[in-house]
Amino acid sequence: MSAEFDITETLDVKGASCPMPVVKTKSAIDDLAEGEVLEVLATDPGSMSDIDGWASGTEGVELVDQEEGDEVYKHYVRKTE
Amino acid sequence: MSTDTPDASADDAPSRAELAARVDELEDALAEATSEDDAKKMSIIATKGTLDMAYPPLILASTAAAFGYDVTVFHTFWGLDILHEERSKNLKLSSVGNPNMPVPNAVAALPGMDSVTTKMMEKKIADNDTATIEELIETSLDMGVEFQACQMTIDLMDYDEDNFYDGVTTGVGAATALQDMADADIQLLV
C-alpha cells in the first residue's frame, strides 16, 4: 500500500480521543495545498469510522487509504481543492 | 435552424431578447441562492452545565466545524457555565438521580459526594486523554464556532459578560436562537 501517493505531512494524534483526531485532521489539511496528502496517526479505534465519515461529508478532501496497524490507525487524506 | 430568423407564426410569443433577459435574470437568482447558503449550518441550544452534559454540545460543535458547517451554540441557564471562564474549569458531576453511577442515591446525596464523583470522572478524563472542556471551547472558537450566551440568563444568574471566554457573543435572546434554528440544517437541544 505504498508508492501510490506521496505523503506531504504527518499528523500525530496518538492518544487523543474523539473529537480531536477529526478536528486536528481538519486543521492540518487546511495548511496543505491542493493535491497534497496528509498522513494521520491515531490510536483511537473510532478514528477509522470517524475520519472516513468526515472525509465523505466534507468538501475538498478525499480519503485515499486507511490502515489498521499494531495499535496505530493510519489515515491518508488528500486535499482535492 | 437559423438563430436570427424568428418564427413568424408566433407574434405574441416573447422575443429572443426578452427570453435571453429572462434567462440571465434566472441565472443570477440561482447563483445568488446557491452561493449565499453554501455552507451547511448547525444550531445547538445548550441548557445543561454538569460535567457530563457539557461535552456533547462542544464535541458536536467542533466536529461540525471540521465538516465545514457554520455552527452556533446558544447557551442558556446552566449551559452558561460552560462558557464561564472560571466555572467551566470546575463543572461538577452528581450521582444523585443517575442510577447508572456506582453510588447509591442515598449515599450520593451526602455532603461532599458530588466532589468525589466529579474527581472520579476527572481522573477518567485525564487517563483517557479525553479533551478538557476548556480545550474543546478554545478549539471550537479557533474553528469559527459562534458561542452565544443568553442575556436573560446572564442577568438571572448575576453573571457579567466579562466572565465568559473571549469571543463569546452576549446580548442575544430567544429570537436570535430561533432565527439560527430556522436557518440551520441541524438543530439540537442539549
Side-chain angles (χ1 to χ4, degrees), chain B residues 145-190:
Chain B
V145 170
E146 183 178 350
F147 289 110
Q148 299 180 334
C150 162
Q151 192 60 46
M152 183 275 279
T153 40
I154 292 176
D155 297 340
L156 189 71
M157 312 278 240
D158 272 333
Y159 291 162
D160 194 278
E161 56 185 77
D162 299 336
N163 296 150
F164 300 110
Y165 285 89
D166 287 345
V168 169
T169 305
T170 54
V172 291
T176 308
L178 199 76
Q179 189 59 47
D180 275 327
M181 286 189 273
D183 288 343
D185 301 279
I186 300 175
Q187 304 93 349
L188 295 170
L189 173 72
V190 180

Side-chain angles (χ1 to χ4, degrees), chain A residues 15 17 19-20 23 26 53-54 57-58, chain B residues 62-63 66-67 129-131 139 143:
Chain A
S17 56
M20 286 310 181
V23 165
K26 153 73 178 167
W54 167 76
T58 304
Chain B
S62 53
T63 303
F67 272 76
D129 270 324
T130 300
T139 303
M143 300 182 83

Side-chain angles (χ1 to χ4, degrees), chain A residues 1 4 12 18 21 23-25 28-29 32 34 36-37 39-40 42 44-46 52-53 62 64-65 69 73 77 80:
Chain A
M1 273 294 182
E4 288 171 34
D12 186 348
C18 174
V23 165
K24 289 188 170 165
T25 298
I29 210 93
L32 295 194
E34 185 183 334
E36 293 182 332
V37 173
E39 177 184 50
V40 183
D44 171 19
D52 185 10
E62 174 199 3
V64 282
D65 197 14
Y73 301 89
V77 184
T80 56

Side-chain angles (χ1 to χ4, degrees), chain B residues 8 19-21 33 38-39 50 56 61 71 92 110 113 156 176 187:
Chain B
L19 286 172
D38 217 10
T50 52
V71 184
K92 298 274 185 278
L110 295 173
M113 279 308 290
L156 189 71
T176 308
Q187 304 93 349

Side-chain angles (χ1 to χ4, degrees), chain B residues 26-133:
Chain B
L26 289 170
E27 279 177 350
D28 286 350
L30 183 66
E32 199 178 310
T34 47
S35 71
E36 202 175 306
D37 270 340
D38 217 10
K40 288 193 167 185
K41 293 190 173 66
M42 179 160 83
S43 167
I44 301 176
I45 312 297
T47 65
K48 304 273 198 288
T50 52
L51 182 57
D52 53 333
M53 293 305 282
Y55 274 94
L58 297 179
I59 290 174
L60 289 170
S62 53
T63 303
F67 272 76
Y69 279 59
D70 287 339
V71 184
T72 307
V73 192
F74 182 88
H75 294 248
T76 186
F77 281 84
W78 305 108
L80 281 180
D81 285 358
I82 303 170
L83 300 181
H84 193 287
E85 218 168 342
E86 290 310 310
R87 297 180 68 93
S88 68
K89 291 164 190 158
N90 295 301
L91 299 180
K92 298 274 185 278
L93 177 69
S94 178
S95 293
V96 176
N98 185 349
N100 289 345
M101 299 279 289
V103 187
N105 273 338
V107 178
L110 295 173
M113 279 308 290
D114 284 351
S115 295
V116 173
T117 44
T118 302
K119 285 276 179 310
M120 269 169 44
M121 186 56 126
E122 282 172 345
K123 185 172 182 319
K124 276 186 169 294
I125 287 168
D127 289 351
N128 278 289
D129 270 324
T130 300
T132 63
I133 294 299

